Amino acid sequence: MKKYISFLGTTKYIECIYTYGGKEATPSRFVQTAIYEHFSEAGDECEFIVFVTDTSRARNWEDSIDREGNPLEGLASAFQRIAPDVHVKVIEISDNHDEQSNWEIFDKLIQEIGDQDEIYFDITHGYRSFPMLALIVLNYVRFIKQARIGKIVYGQFEQLGPAYLVKELKMEERKAPILDFTNMLSLLDWTNGVDAFLRNGDTSLIRELSQSERRELFLNSGNVTTEMKKEAALLDKFAKQLDVVSQSFETCRGQTINKEIRLMKDMIQEIKNEKAEQIKPLVPLVGEVEKKFDGFGDNFTMDTFAIIDWCIDNHLIQQGYTFPQENVITLILRACGLDEIERENREDVNSAIRIVKDSIGRENWRVHDSAKTEKIIRFIKKNVDFIEPYGALTDYRNNINHAGMNKNNITYNKFSKKLEELADTFRPFFEAVANEIDH
């Protein structure tokens, strides 16, 4: 159901014409009737909920008389005149402004919003705390009741000037805009999405936000500008690439992950250089995402080490053991000028490590290519300090990959700490290989 939620204030409002999207509402003292006119559609199942205090009910819900003795139409009568078919529900709230009263309003708001309702929230009137309360309530019901936010709006009557001057204007000159603040909630969503990514590399909320914005543009194509389309396309591209990077980490895509990270960093620069007004509030958030990739540069070898740090920071423990073991093999083959993808070469690296570690004589080698293995062994002997931690890395990786189903059952709480220790131990090896390969 579509539900309009508004608070009725105590000011003696002046009749004006509220405008939105180039259209004018019927002249009224109340923004509420204008909001209904602008955002309702034929066939809507809807309800307009008005929160009133004793004072606002007496002054503005019911018909009254002004200081000069002239009759003043109340909101109840205004709805009967302008939108007689709409169902209006009045909810009593306290005139008090204390914390307990705010919680009572919160509870009443929650009670009025049903599962999957579409909410149009008017923040024009009421106490100064109401806009903040609105954001909290709307965030809450989206999660608890899967409610959808249609609009957060504000009737900007004050644009017309002081009330005593507005009274002197002809009605056709009293045009006040209704402002749309829905994007403020969207910015809060993006903030939450970026926070989730920074904490654990989770891109699901960012991806959902991007898809939601594309859907909204499609559903409201008549009011969509070229700039809005460009913004949505850029954010969608950003969200998709960020998701590719996240999935590449989660699924250990060693051959492509460095390339995807470079594409991600290029995408971030494109957003930071974008001048569109809708993008600007997101630039600082994207800047925080960029910091997440500070450990990655143009050095392939050290980027492969940065992958380990990423896995540690984002609690990807199993991936954190898989990446370094495979990357060590890759770097050894690169340093030896051998094909790093060929399965037999990779198997020979593991064999060469055992040969050096256990001093296995050539007559007992079990390798695919003895000449290549000799080359690999020469490199390993120059960097022999990595062999012992490589053995520990292998043991822990095997244990986690086989679900601990062996005699050496390592307890769950040791994997994270051991991975951090191994990362520190392996850093000199990666630096030495980087110096050899890249210079």
Side-chain angles (χ1 to χ4, degrees):
M1 177 183 286
K2 183 182 285 187
K3 289 185 178 176
Y4 301 86
I5 297 176
S6 182
F7 292 84
L8 187 60
T10 58
T11 302
K12 290 293 183 182
Y13 305 118
I14 299 170
E15 192 175 34
C16 71
I17 300 170
Y18 283 102
T19 65
Y20 181 82
K23 297 179 181 180
E24 299 179 1
T26 304
S28 174
R29 294 176 56 222
F30 303 101
V31 70
Q32 288 87 350
T33 59
I35 288 171
Y36 178 76
E37 283 190 278
H38 282 301
F39 300 110
S40 65
E41 297 177 357
D44 276 348
E45 181 187 4
C46 66
E47 183 177 52
F48 207 110
I49 302 167
V50 183
F51 286 79
V52 301
T53 64
D54 288 341
T55 306
S56 67
R57 176 188 280 277
R59 291 185 181 180
N60 282 319
W61 176 252
E62 300 165 356
D63 295 342
S64 61
I65 304 294
D66 67 14
R67 292 178 181 178
E68 289 78 32
N70 300 312
L72 286 175
E73 181 183 52
L75 180 56
S77 297
F79 267 119
Q80 282 299 311
R81 172 173 61 88
I82 297 170
D85 295 330
V86 64
H87 178 253
V88 181
K89 185 175 184 179
V90 178
I91 305 293
E92 297 276 356
I93 57 174
S94 172
D95 272 310
N96 295 331
H97 300 186
D98 57 20
E99 183 178 352
Q100 181 179 346
S101 298
N102 281 336
W103 279 113
E104 289 174 358
I105 294 170
F106 178 88
D107 288 339
K108 289 184 177 182
L109 281 166
I110 300 303
Q111 290 171 17
E112 294 304 319
I113 298 173
D115 291 345
Q116 300 182 352
D117 280 346
E118 182 180 5
I119 310 301
Y120 287 73
F121 210 111
D122 168 30
I123 58 172
T124 308
H125 304 305
Y127 307 137
R128 291 179 180 179
S129 60
F130 282 179
M132 176 64 73
L133 181 61
L135 284 175
I136 295 170
V137 168
L138 292 176
N139 231 15
Y140 185 82
V141 297
R142 285 190 303 168
F143 179 72
I144 298 298
K145 301 190 176 186
Q146 289 75 54
R148 194 173 81 85
I149 310 307
K151 295 288 181 185
I152 303 173
V153 294
Y154 176 85
Q156 196 180 23
F157 177 87
E158 62 269 25
Q159 178 178 297
L160 299 176
Y164 71 92
L165 292 179
V166 176
K167 288 181 179 180
E168 304 301 320
L169 297 175
K170 296 178 182 179
M171 184 55 64
E172 59 267 24
E173 297 175 323
R174 301 181 192 177
K175 295 180 181 179
I178 291 177
L179 305 181
D180 184 354
F181 285 97
T182 316
N183 281 342
M184 296 295 102
L185 194 61
S186 177
L187 181 59
L188 180 61
D189 289 337
W190 277 96
T191 302
N192 290 335
V194 169
D195 181 62
F197 175 73
L198 295 179
R199 287 178 182 273
N200 53 36
D202 180 11
T203 61
S204 58
L205 182 53
I206 291 176
R207 189 174 64 252
E208 288 172 14
L209 287 169
S210 172
Q211 293 171 349
S212 176
E213 290 201 6
R214 295 297 291 269
R215 283 195 300 270
E216 287 295 323
L217 289 182
F218 177 78
L219 294 173
N220 301 284
S221 56
N223 299 317
V224 175
T225 64
T226 301
E227 191 173 79
M228 291 167 68
K229 290 180 181 178
K230 181 181 178 182
E231 172 210 3
L234 187 58
L235 291 178
D236 188 56
K237 190 177 175 184
F238 165 73
K240 285 179 178 177
Q241 185 57 34
L242 195 61
D243 189 51
V244 168
V245 171
S246 179
Q247 294 292 334
S248 296
F249 275 105
E250 291 178 9
T251 58
C252 297
R253 298 301 86 197
Q255 292 189 54
T256 58
I257 192 166
N258 286 7
K259 180 193 73 174
E260 299 300 349
I261 291 171
R262 287 194 296 273
L263 289 174
M264 184 70 256
K265 296 181 79 170
D266 290 342
M267 175 59 57
I268 289 172
Q269 286 306 313
E270 187 176 347
I271 291 177
K272 291 175 71 175
N273 294 333
E274 178 58 47
K275 303 301 181 183
E277 288 298 320
Q278 294 91 336
I279 290 285
K280 285 183 180 178
L282 297 177
V283 170
L285 295 178
V286 173
E288 291 302 309
V289 173
E290 184 179 32
K291 292 177 184 177
K292 187 86 169 176
F293 295 95
D294 279 349
F296 298 91
D298 297 322
N299 186 299
F300 174 87
T301 304
M302 294 314 298
D303 283 352
T304 58
F305 182 80
I307 289 172
I308 307 173
D309 284 338
W310 175 287
C311 291
I312 292 171
D313 292 342
N314 294 286
H315 315 293
L316 300 175
I317 304 304
Q318 190 164 11
Q319 294 87 337
Y321 280 99
T322 301
F323 269 121
Q325 185 176 43
E326 297 300 328
N327 287 343
V328 165
I329 295 171
T330 297
L331 294 178
I332 290 174
L333 290 171
R334 278 201 171 201
C336 294
L338 299 173
D339 186 346
E340 63 202 57
I341 303 303
E342 187 178 323
R343 180 177 60 83
E344 292 181 350
N345 286 349
R346 301 186 72 83
E347 290 176 353
D348 280 349
V349 170
N350 276 318
S351 296
I353 292 173
R354 286 194 298 272
I355 289 168
V356 174
K357 177 177 180 293
D358 298 333
S359 302
I360 299 173
R362 187 184 180 91
E363 66 278 5
N364 293 319
W365 287 7
R366 294 184 179 180
V367 299
H368 298 288
D369 189 314
S370 296
K372 289 181 180 179
T373 303
E374 286 178 350
K375 192 173 186 180
I376 293 168
I377 288 172
R378 285 196 295 272
F379 176 83
I380 291 172
K381 287 182 175 179
K382 291 191 299 181
N383 300 277
V384 73
D385 288 345
F386 86 92
I387 290 180
E388 184 175 343
Y390 185 83
L393 179 68
T394 302
D395 290 342
Y396 271 74
R397 178 188 176 181
N398 288 339
N399 196 280
I400 199 171
N401 284 350
H402 293 286
M405 299 303 293
N406 53 44
K407 293 182 179 180
N408 182 27
N409 183 24
I410 302 168
T411 56
Y412 73 92
N413 56 337
K414 293 182 179 179
F415 284 95
S416 181
K417 183 179 180 181
K418 186 62 176 181
L419 183 58
E420 292 180 21
E421 292 174 359
L422 288 170
D424 290 338
T425 305
F426 270 109
R427 179 180 288 276
F429 170 77
F430 279 80
E431 290 173 343
V433 175
N435 186 63
E436 181 164 337
I437 292 177
D438 302 323
H439 292 85

